[in-house]
Amino acid sequence: MLPHRMPPGRIVAALNGALLLLSPLASAQDIGRGERLARTWCANCHVVDRNPAEAGATGVPTFPALAAKPGQTSEKLRAAMNPRHSRMPDLQLSKQQQDDLVAYILSLRPKR
Ligand code: HEC
């Protein structure tokens, strides 16, 4: 007899527990926080919606377009937010805010 045989319900509970344990790792970069930041700080110039009704008229790249750019990486996005390397205004973003924004932008990547 197996003393530690788990009933199926316990296995599901254990798996849920494992997922909960993983979620703090994911929150280091928070897509939801990044989206709120984008709406607050970036939407003046960029189209930041996941499914934009129309492309921006200003010629400023939309966030989905940035995400879909071939060879796009979090490093390049981070560099673009650094005013020393672009024509972007200095928004004084913290490292955490940049991480969240990068996570949000990359979440807009088209599904393959
Ligand atoms: C005042 C207008 C303005 C605001 C606000 C703004 N941007 Fe931009 N952004 C631009 C312009 C203009 C460009 C095109 C820059 C260029 O081609 O050098 C750009 C380009 C970019 C690029 C891409 C650069 C590339 O690789 O082509 C990224 C990434 C970016 N912005 C992120 C952001 C994020 C994130 C925010 C909000 C925190 C933001 N921007 C807010 C004007 C703005």
Side-chain angles (χ1 to χ4, degrees):
M1 185 187 133
L2 289 170
H4 294 298
R5 240 185 79 197
M6 270 197 202
R10 289 284 302 278
I11 295 176
V12 170
L15 283 175
N16 279 335
L19 284 178
L20 278 180
L21 281 177
L22 284 175
S23 52
L25 290 176
S27 76
Q29 280 194 343
D30 189 313
I31 292 171
R33 245 177 5 217
E35 180 170 5
R36 281 191 299 279
L37 286 167
R39 292 191 187 288
T40 309
W41 297 108
C42 322
N44 279 351
C45 302
H46 292 272
V47 174
V48 303
D49 281 339
R50 183 174 299 273
N51 296 307
E54 55 201 49
T58 53
V60 177
T62 68
F63 278 16
L66 286 175
K69 215 163 137 183
Q72 188 61 277
T73 64
S74 48
E75 286 72 29
K76 288 183 191 167
L77 287 172
R78 234 181 286 274
M81 283 180 231
N82 180 332
R84 275 171 300 184
H85 295 289
S86 76
R87 295 191 278 129
M88 292 261 308
D90 184 356
L91 294 165
Q92 314 255 345
L93 298 167
S94 71
K95 164 117 181 25
Q96 178 70 63
Q97 289 174 319
Q98 292 187 14
D99 284 349
D100 293 343
L101 283 162
V102 166
Y104 172 63
I105 294 172
L106 292 182
S107 82
L108 304 176
R109 271 190 174 148
K111 302 276 176 288
R112 271 169 254 264

